[in-house]
């Protein structure tokens, strides 16, 4: 049964920023938690005020706003931080995991406000927003999900911020997850970093993540293919971030990205550090509370890492209410 639903469970996990904290039974009512609304500095394990967070973000070269993709509060916080950075006279550069590098031109064209020659074609009756949504292939996604990100795009347009898509194209991600590297064409491989997969703590951590995403089921060659896809996505996004950071002088690069890509300052954060160790990166994790009450330490560190070799989950954690109290794996196991 789990194999039948494995890809669905994994997709939900990946699209929700890899937030797997807190098992337990599903509840219909949101629970209250003293952590909600708090910002915690993981280094000191002490609360931090919003003005201090904003001051640190203003001084950074790269700021990650790690989200759970379906959490409305996370997107409200992202908008607030960007507005306040602009209010400080900065011009942040806005990057998205959810859009790929080939879609950056559509984003930039929309933000520029210039009329596009495409408006003279069959889609000329579309509004600029509708045209952009079609170009980004988001017409079939829920309106709420689109609006989470379109509000940020509109902010970029209002203030003429540079904007970019950072990820690999969906077709390449699909191929990586379904076939071995040597079976890819030369053109496909040309788009990839292609580094040999290392053995170590981070690989083991991600294998656990993928297995949890499949509700306990994980086999080869699936795990290796998923890990290679994950690594290549982080390589691609890191190269995109560095390119924009090298060209940015008026504000930090702000990445809107699933929190799983920045956990423990590995993944995307580590790859940027390898490419440009001099960049000052700030990793802010927007952390929804777990289904069941959990101590702060459970959020700061991985439960399967008792020696804390992975380090803290993010530099700063901003706690929010959960979007959903369902336990998907419990539902599937009971199916």
């Amino acid at each position: 049964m789990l194999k039948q639903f494995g890809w669905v469970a994994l997709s939900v996990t990946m699209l929700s920023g890899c937030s797997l904290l807190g098992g337990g039974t599903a509840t219909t009512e949101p629970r209250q938690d003293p952590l909600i609304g708090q910002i915690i500095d993981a280094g000191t394990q002490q609360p931090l005020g919003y003005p201090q967070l904003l001051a640190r973000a203003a001084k950074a070269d790269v700021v990650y706003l790690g989200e759970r993709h379906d959490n409305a509060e996370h997107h409200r916080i992202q908008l607030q931080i960007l507005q306040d950075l602009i209010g400080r006279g900065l011009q942040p550069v806005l990057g998205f995991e959810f859009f790929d590098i080939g879609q950056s031109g559509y984003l930039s064209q929309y933000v520029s406000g210039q009329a596009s020659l495409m408006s003279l074609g069959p889609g000329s009756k579309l509004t600029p927003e509708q045209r952009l949504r079609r170009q980004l292939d988001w017409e079939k996604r829920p309106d709420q999900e689109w609006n989470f990100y379109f509000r940020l795009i509109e902010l970029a347009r209002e203030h003429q911020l540079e904007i970019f898509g950072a990820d690999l194209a969906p077709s390449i991600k699909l191929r990586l997850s379904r076939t071995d590297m040597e079976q890819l064409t030369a053109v496909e491989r040309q788009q990839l970093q292609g580094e040999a997969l290392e053995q170590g703590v981070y690989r083991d951590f991600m294998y656990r993540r993928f297995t949890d995403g499949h509700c306990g089921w994980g086999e080869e060659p699936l795990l290796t293919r998923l890990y290679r896809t994950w690594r290549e996505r982080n390589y691609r996004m890191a190269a995109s971030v560095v390119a924009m950071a090298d060209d940015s002088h008026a504000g930090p690069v702000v990445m809107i990205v699933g929190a799983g890509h920045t956990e423990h300052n590995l993944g995307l954060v580590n790859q940027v550090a390898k490419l440009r160790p001099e960049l000052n990166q700030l990793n802010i994790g927007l952390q929804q509370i777990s289904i069941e009450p959990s101590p702060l330490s459970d959020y700061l560190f991985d439960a399967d890492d008792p020696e804390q070799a992975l380090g803290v989950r993010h530099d700063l954690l901003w706690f929010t209410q959960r979007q959903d109290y369902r336990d998907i794996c419990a539902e599937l196991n009971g199916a």
Side-chain angles (χ1 to χ4, degrees):
M1 181 65 72
L2 286 180
K3 290 186 179 182
Q4 180 180 353
F5 290 101
W7 279 102
V8 175
L10 177 68
S11 297
V12 170
T13 302
M14 294 297 110
L15 287 175
S16 58
C18 296
S19 180
L20 297 173
L21 280 170
T25 57
T27 60
T28 56
E29 296 294 329
R31 69 175 183 83
Q32 298 306 306
D33 192 298
L35 286 172
I36 293 176
Q38 287 202 51
I39 302 169
I40 301 294
D41 184 325
T44 64
Q45 301 187 25
Q46 296 298 314
L48 187 76
Y50 178 66
Q52 286 72 44
L53 176 149
L54 197 63
R56 289 176 62 171
K59 293 178 181 178
D61 298 308
V62 182
V63 178
Y64 303 98
L65 299 180
E67 64 183 31
R68 181 178 170 102
H69 297 315
D70 63 351
N71 191 302
E73 180 67 5
H74 291 187
H75 296 287
R76 185 199 66 77
I77 291 170
Q78 290 168 340
L79 184 63
Q80 176 186 348
I81 291 174
L82 282 163
Q83 288 172 329
D84 289 340
L85 287 173
I86 293 168
R88 283 175 166 248
L90 299 173
Q91 285 285 104
V93 176
L94 187 55
F96 293 90
E97 170 205 349
F98 246 135
F99 306 122
D100 65 69
I101 56 174
Q103 295 172 320
S104 293
Y106 296 135
L107 293 167
S108 295
Q109 185 68 22
Y110 178 83
V111 166
S112 74
Q114 298 174 358
S116 171
L117 291 176
M118 295 178 184
S119 65
L120 303 178
S124 59
K125 294 182 180 181
L126 297 176
T127 67
E129 178 188 349
Q130 290 170 332
R131 187 176 303 110
L132 178 67
R133 190 169 179 175
R134 174 175 291 182
Q135 290 167 338
L136 298 176
D137 196 26
W138 273 59
E139 289 182 298
K140 295 181 180 179
R141 291 180 181 264
D143 289 343
Q144 182 188 45
E145 189 175 317
W146 166 253
N147 287 328
F148 286 156
Y149 298 100
F150 185 65
R151 285 184 298 178
L152 302 177
I153 297 170
E154 277 288 87
L155 183 70
R157 188 178 192 181
E158 178 185 353
H159 295 279
Q160 289 298 286
L161 306 180
E162 288 191 281
I163 190 170
F164 66 101
D167 205 354
L168 288 172
S171 59
I172 295 296
K173 290 187 284 188
L174 176 66
R175 286 279 286 162
L176 277 169
S177 65
R178 300 296 176 86
T179 191
D180 294 328
M181 197 74 169
E182 56 270 18
Q183 294 175 298
L184 299 177
T185 67
V187 169
E188 289 172 324
R189 291 196 302 271
Q190 188 182 42
Q191 302 176 56
L192 305 173
Q193 199 275 347
E195 183 177 293
L197 297 181
E198 85 292 346
Q199 308 291 316
V201 174
Y202 185 58
R203 190 206 67 162
D204 295 343
F205 168 71
M206 288 310 306
Y207 272 37
R208 291 195 300 270
R209 278 287 193 241
F210 297 138
T211 301
D212 288 344
H214 282 80
C215 299
W217 177 70
E219 295 181 358
E220 293 291 3
L222 175 65
L223 288 175
T224 295
R225 288 173 179 173
L226 290 176
Y227 184 56
R228 184 179 296 281
T229 304
W230 185 258
R231 287 291 305 274
E232 289 290 350
R233 292 183 64 198
N234 286 329
Y235 289 141
R236 179 60 267 168
M237 287 193 285
S240 301
V241 167
V242 166
M244 297 306 285
D246 285 348
D247 197 45
S248 174
H249 305 288
V253 174
V254 177
M255 270 296 294
I256 306 300
V257 61
H261 288 282
T262 64
E263 279 188 298
H264 303 290
N265 284 324
L266 298 170
L268 173 55
V269 182
N270 184 51
Q271 291 305 320
V272 169
K274 286 183 178 180
L275 292 171
R276 290 290 187 279
E278 70 276 12
L279 289 178
N280 175 18
Q281 302 185 77
L282 179 62
N283 180 2
I284 301 173
L286 305 177
Q287 177 65 63
Q288 61 179 16
I289 59 170
S290 54
I291 294 176
E292 300 293 341
S294 301
L296 178 61
S297 59
D298 283 6
Y299 296 100
L300 295 177
F301 303 101
D302 188 74
D304 294 315
D305 180 31
E307 297 183 0
Q308 300 177 5
L310 290 165
V312 294
R313 199 174 299 275
H314 303 279
D315 297 331
L316 306 177
L317 286 84
W318 187 326
F319 287 91
T320 72
Q321 182 58 266
R322 290 188 70 83
Q323 186 71 19
D324 188 350
Y325 275 82
R326 293 179 305 154
D327 187 325
I328 295 174
C329 289
E331 293 177 12
L332 293 179
N333 280 320

